[in-house]
Amino acid sequence: AAVRRPATATRPVEGSILDRPPQVLAEDAMKLLKEVAEVAASTGPEVGLRRGLQAAQAAAATAAEVAQKPPAELDEAFVAKVLRKLFERLGSTYVKLGQFIASSPTVFPAPYVKEFQRCLDSTSTVSFVEVKRIIERELGQPLRNVFAYVDPTPLASASIAQVHTGRLRDGSEVVVKVQKPGIEEVLKTDLGVVYLAARILEFINPDLNIRGSLADIASDLRQSMLGELDFREEQKNLDVYRDFLEENGLTAIAVAPKPYPEASSKRVLTMERLSGVPLVDLEGIKKYTKDPELTLVNALNVWALSVQKCEFFHADVHAGNLLVLEACIWWHSHAHLLGEKLLERATSDLSL
């Protein structure tokens, strides 16, 4: 729900741009100009100009759509829908931001969370001709030398990459995650703009940082999203997480897909194919287990234990990232015992 500002919020606040000594103001301004130059140099003027033009076109198209079909009532649900469409037109960076909104129900109002869930699973796709070219360039050899088959129709498309099912020459069923072309320069430009906007707001009104630095948040977001561009890190994380499951005796409850290094690179990641249904598909889950509640509890406990004992933990745990596998039916008979042990481990070190 919207929160109205108190009337006193319109008064100048202590620490605003007018309250700082000239020397401090000059130093802050020089730091800001230096960061502007660094961000501009990292993206290049051509890319920045092109993205600026694309943003203007996206805003114009969205405004025209609203003008053609004005709402009967201007409420949060309508505003959320308009923003979601604008984000989708703006492209990959903003779709990722939309996914962040969809996955943060404790931070954003419910209408926005619900609307931006449309960004979780599907975005625009890249032609298979381009996908094939990227795979061959990244692996340094023809597609047929590595894969017996790759389905031209994508299984899913996200903001940074799209996924195709396939089969290695040894018969292993796999999924191939391929980074979309040009995505790196787009992300660098867009995230640079987001970071600079946060820095400018801080410069104008430092008191906005009472609850945390806007620029630091934007910087962390920028670093995290740019880190996703190197699939070798994701491959390493898969290996780490598989080791974590093995070391803690959890392989009968949870599994992470096996990566295939010989068919992977910085922009291509080939993984074992796992078949199942989203964790929120209750009817689908019932086909694989007689106890859906236990399945959910086990999933949450595995995640809780990973927070304590793994090098990293998954910070975007939504239905698109969690599947209940067909194999669930085979270990259901002893899942209760494993679940009880897992619950003990997950809660034993917690301080309440």
Side-chain angles (χ1 to χ4, degrees), residues 2 9 14 61 70-71 128 136 170-171 197 201 232 234 236 244 268 275 297 310:
E14 184 177 355
F128 185 67
E136 292 183 335
D170 66 3
L201 288 173
R232 293 171 299 189
E234 186 172 348
K236 176 184 175 183
F244 156 76
V268 175
S275 299
V297 169
C310 191

Side-chain angles (χ1 to χ4, degrees), residues 245-284:
L245 294 175
E246 181 73 32
E247 291 167 2
N248 288 276
L250 303 176
T251 53
I253 289 182
V255 63
K258 171 187 174 182
Y260 292 88
E262 68 278 8
S264 302
S265 69
K266 181 179 180 180
R267 295 180 176 87
V268 175
L269 177 59
T270 301
M271 300 169 282
E272 170 189 12
R273 184 179 184 183
L274 302 175
S275 299
V277 296
L279 196 59
V280 294
D281 184 357
L282 181 58
E283 294 304 314

Side-chain angles (χ1 to χ4, degrees), residues 76-348:
E76 281 195 322
F78 175 78
V79 174
K81 184 176 181 179
V82 171
L83 281 178
R84 190 260 305 168
K85 289 184 175 181
L86 175 61
F87 276 31
E88 289 178 344
R89 289 188 173 108
L90 287 170
S92 304
T93 309
Y94 295 88
V95 170
K96 288 291 290 184
L97 293 175
Q99 292 173 348
F100 174 72
I101 293 172
S103 302
S104 307
T106 59
V107 179
F108 299 96
Y112 295 87
V113 172
K114 181 179 179 180
E115 183 64 35
F116 278 99
Q117 285 177 352
R118 294 173 179 265
C119 296
L120 290 176
D121 297 319
S122 182
T123 58
S124 60
T125 60
V126 177
S127 71
F128 185 67
V129 172
E130 183 69 13
V131 167
K132 181 174 180 289
R133 185 184 69 81
I134 293 171
I135 294 175
E136 292 183 335
R137 183 187 64 204
E138 285 294 310
L139 301 186
Q141 54 185 314
L143 191 72
R144 63 179 180 274
N145 287 1
V146 182
F147 299 94
Y149 172 74
V150 176
D151 190 343
T153 302
L155 178 67
S157 179
S159 53
I160 289 178
Q162 69 184 43
V163 176
H164 293 254
T165 59
R167 187 183 309 111
L168 296 177
R169 292 185 63 84
D170 66 3
S172 300
E173 297 291 335
V174 297
V175 292
V176 188
K177 181 178 179 180
V178 183
Q179 190 174 125
K180 293 180 176 179
I183 195 67
E184 183 170 358
E185 63 181 20
V186 169
L187 277 180
K188 283 183 177 179
T189 302
D190 290 351
L191 292 172
V193 171
V194 171
Y195 173 74
L196 289 179
R199 282 287 289 115
I200 291 170
L201 288 173
E202 283 188 351
F203 176 75
I204 295 173
N205 187 2
D207 279 6
L208 290 173
N209 294 329
I210 291 175
R211 295 187 178 182
S213 169
L214 291 176
D216 285 349
I217 294 172
S219 178
D220 289 344
L221 182 64
R222 184 183 183 203
Q223 182 178 1
S224 174
M225 290 179 66
L226 291 178
E228 292 184 32
L229 296 174
D230 190 345
F231 291 172
R232 293 171 299 189
E233 287 300 310
E234 186 172 348
Q235 177 185 319
K236 176 184 175 183
N237 289 343
L238 285 172
D239 287 330
V240 169
Y241 203 80
R242 286 170 60 84
D243 289 343
F244 156 76
L245 294 175
E246 181 73 32
E247 291 167 2
N248 288 276
L250 303 176
T251 53
I253 289 182
V255 63
K258 171 187 174 182
Y260 292 88
E262 68 278 8
S264 302
S265 69
K266 181 179 180 180
R267 295 180 176 87
V268 175
L269 177 59
T270 301
M271 300 169 282
E272 170 189 12
R273 184 179 184 183
L274 302 175
S275 299
V277 296
L279 196 59
V280 294
D281 184 357
L282 181 58
E283 294 304 314
I285 294 175
K286 287 180 179 178
K287 297 178 182 178
Y288 301 146
T289 175
K290 297 178 182 178
D291 196 342
E293 182 179 353
L294 176 64
T295 301
L296 176 59
V297 169
N298 283 340
L300 292 174
N301 285 338
V302 169
W303 180 82
L305 194 63
S306 73
V307 174
Q308 297 179 47
K309 295 191 174 183
C310 191
E311 291 182 21
F312 65 92
F313 65 91
H314 205 306
D316 190 19
V317 187
H318 62 73
N321 288 332
L322 289 173
L323 293 178
V324 177
L325 304 184
E326 293 176 359
C328 175
I329 193 171
W330 296 106
W331 53 260
H332 174 75
S333 60
H334 59 276
H336 282 278
L337 179 59
L338 290 169
E340 290 173 2
K341 291 181 177 179
L342 178 57
L343 180 59
E344 290 176 2
R345 291 186 200 168
T347 58
S348 60

Side-chain angles (χ1 to χ4, degrees), residues 5-16:
R5 294 180 183 273
T8 55
T10 58
R11 298 183 310 178
V13 295
E14 184 177 355
S16 69

